[in-house]
CSV table of all heavy atoms in Angstrom, one decimal:
chain,number,residue,atom,x,y,z
A,820,ARG,N,0.8,-10.6,-2.5
A,820,ARG,CA,2.2,-11.0,-2.2
A,820,ARG,C,3.1,-9.8,-2.2
A,820,ARG,O,2.9,-8.8,-2.8
A,820,ARG,CB,2.7,-12.0,-3.2
A,820,ARG,CG,1.9,-13.2,-3.3
A,820,ARG,CD,2.3,-14.1,-4.4
A,820,ARG,NE,1.5,-15.2,-4.6
A,820,ARG,CZ,1.8,-16.3,-5.1
A,820,ARG,NH1,3.0,-16.5,-5.6
A,820,ARG,NH2,0.9,-17.3,-5.2
B,1041,LYS,N,2.7,-17.5,-16.6
B,1041,LYS,CA,3.5,-18.3,-15.8
B,1041,LYS,C,3.0,-18.4,-14.4
B,1041,LYS,O,2.6,-17.4,-13.9
B,1041,LYS,CB,4.9,-17.7,-15.7
B,1041,LYS,CG,6.0,-18.4,-16.4
B,1041,LYS,CD,7.4,-17.8,-16.1
B,1041,LYS,CE,8.4,-18.2,-17.1
B,1041,LYS,NZ,9.7,-17.6,-16.8
B,1042,ALA,N,2.9,-19.6,-13.9
B,1042,ALA,CA,2.5,-19.8,-12.5
B,1042,ALA,C,3.5,-19.1,-11.6
B,1042,ALA,O,4.7,-19.2,-11.8
B,1042,ALA,CB,2.3,-21.3,-12.2
B,1043,GLY,N,2.9,-18.6,-10.5
B,1043,GLY,CA,3.8,-17.9,-9.5
B,1043,GLY,C,4.4,-18.9,-8.6
B,1043,GLY,O,4.2,-20.1,-8.7
B,1044,VAL,N,5.1,-18.4,-7.6
B,1044,VAL,CA,5.7,-19.2,-6.5
B,1044,VAL,C,4.6,-19.8,-5.7
B,1044,VAL,O,3.7,-19.0,-5.3
B,1044,VAL,CB,6.7,-18.4,-5.7
B,1044,VAL,CG1,7.3,-19.2,-4.6
B,1044,VAL,CG2,7.8,-17.8,-6.6
B,1045,THR,N,4.7,-21.0,-5.4
B,1045,THR,CA,3.6,-21.6,-4.5
B,1045,THR,C,4.3,-22.2,-3.3
B,1045,THR,O,5.5,-22.7,-3.3
B,1045,THR,CB,2.9,-22.8,-5.3
B,1045,THR,OG1,3.8,-23.8,-5.7
B,1045,THR,CG2,2.1,-22.2,-6.5
B,1046,GLN,N,3.6,-22.1,-2.2
B,1046,GLN,CA,4.1,-22.6,-0.9
B,1046,GLN,C,3.0,-23.5,-0.3
B,1046,GLN,O,1.8,-23.1,-0.3
B,1046,GLN,CB,4.4,-21.5,0.0
B,1046,GLN,CG,5.6,-20.6,-0.4
B,1046,GLN,CD,6.0,-19.6,0.6
B,1046,GLN,OE1,6.0,-18.4,0.4
B,1046,GLN,NE2,6.5,-20.1,1.8
B,1064,SER,N,7.7,-24.2,-4.3
B,1064,SER,CA,7.9,-24.5,-5.7
B,1064,SER,C,8.1,-23.2,-6.4
B,1064,SER,O,7.2,-22.3,-6.5
B,1064,SER,CB,6.6,-25.2,-6.3
B,1064,SER,OG,6.5,-26.5,-5.7
B,1065,PRO,N,9.3,-23.0,-7.0
B,1065,PRO,CA,9.6,-21.8,-7.7
B,1065,PRO,C,8.9,-21.6,-9.0
B,1065,PRO,O,8.3,-22.6,-9.5
B,1065,PRO,CB,11.1,-21.9,-7.8
B,1065,PRO,CG,11.4,-23.3,-8.0
B,1065,PRO,CD,10.4,-24.0,-7.1
B,1066,ILE,N,9.0,-20.5,-9.6
B,1066,ILE,CA,8.6,-20.2,-10.9
B,1066,ILE,C,9.4,-21.1,-11.9
B,1066,ILE,O,10.6,-21.2,-11.7
B,1066,ILE,CB,8.7,-18.7,-11.3
B,1066,ILE,CG1,7.7,-17.9,-10.5
B,1066,ILE,CG2,8.5,-18.5,-12.8
B,1066,ILE,CD1,7.9,-16.4,-10.6
B,1067,SER,N,8.8,-21.6,-12.9
B,1067,SER,CA,9.5,-22.5,-13.8
B,1067,SER,C,10.7,-21.8,-14.4
B,1067,SER,O,10.5,-20.6,-14.9
B,1067,SER,CB,8.5,-22.9,-14.9
B,1067,SER,OG,9.1,-23.7,-15.9
B,1133,SER,N,11.7,-16.9,-5.4
B,1133,SER,CA,12.5,-17.5,-6.4
B,1133,SER,C,13.0,-16.5,-7.4
B,1133,SER,O,12.4,-15.4,-7.6
B,1133,SER,CB,11.8,-18.6,-7.1
B,1133,SER,OG,10.8,-18.1,-8.1
B,1144,TYR,N,10.8,-13.2,-6.8
B,1144,TYR,CA,9.3,-13.3,-6.8
B,1144,TYR,C,8.9,-14.1,-5.5
B,1144,TYR,O,9.4,-15.2,-5.3
B,1144,TYR,CB,8.9,-14.0,-8.0
B,1144,TYR,CG,9.1,-13.2,-9.3
B,1144,TYR,CD1,10.3,-13.3,-9.9
B,1144,TYR,CD2,8.2,-12.3,-9.8
B,1144,TYR,CE1,10.6,-12.6,-11.1
B,1144,TYR,CE2,8.4,-11.6,-11.0
B,1144,TYR,CZ,9.6,-11.7,-11.6
B,1144,TYR,OH,9.9,-11.0,-12.7
B,1145,PHE,N,8.1,-13.5,-4.7
B,1145,PHE,CA,7.7,-14.0,-3.5
B,1145,PHE,C,6.5,-14.9,-3.6
B,1145,PHE,O,5.5,-14.6,-4.3
B,1145,PHE,CB,7.5,-13.0,-2.4
B,1145,PHE,CG,8.8,-12.4,-1.8
B,1145,PHE,CD1,9.5,-11.5,-2.5
B,1145,PHE,CD2,9.3,-12.9,-0.6
B,1145,PHE,CE1,10.7,-11.0,-2.0
B,1145,PHE,CE2,10.5,-12.4,-0.1
B,1145,PHE,CZ,11.2,-11.4,-0.8
B,1146,GLY,N,6.4,-15.9,-2.7
B,1146,GLY,CA,5.2,-16.7,-2.6
B,1146,GLY,C,4.3,-16.1,-1.6
B,1146,GLY,O,4.6,-15.1,-0.9
B,1147,PRO,N,3.2,-16.7,-1.3
B,1147,PRO,CA,2.2,-16.2,-0.4
B,1147,PRO,C,2.5,-16.5,1.1
B,1147,PRO,O,2.0,-15.8,1.9
B,1147,PRO,CB,0.9,-17.0,-0.8
B,1147,PRO,CG,1.4,-18.3,-1.3
B,1147,PRO,CD,2.7,-18.0,-2.0
Side-chain angles (χ1 to χ4, degrees):
Chain A
R820 305 173 182 205
Chain B
K1041 248 187 196 179
V1044 177
T1045 58
Q1046 292 186 245
S1064 293
I1066 291 171
S1067 177
S1133 78
Y1144 295 86
F1145 282 81

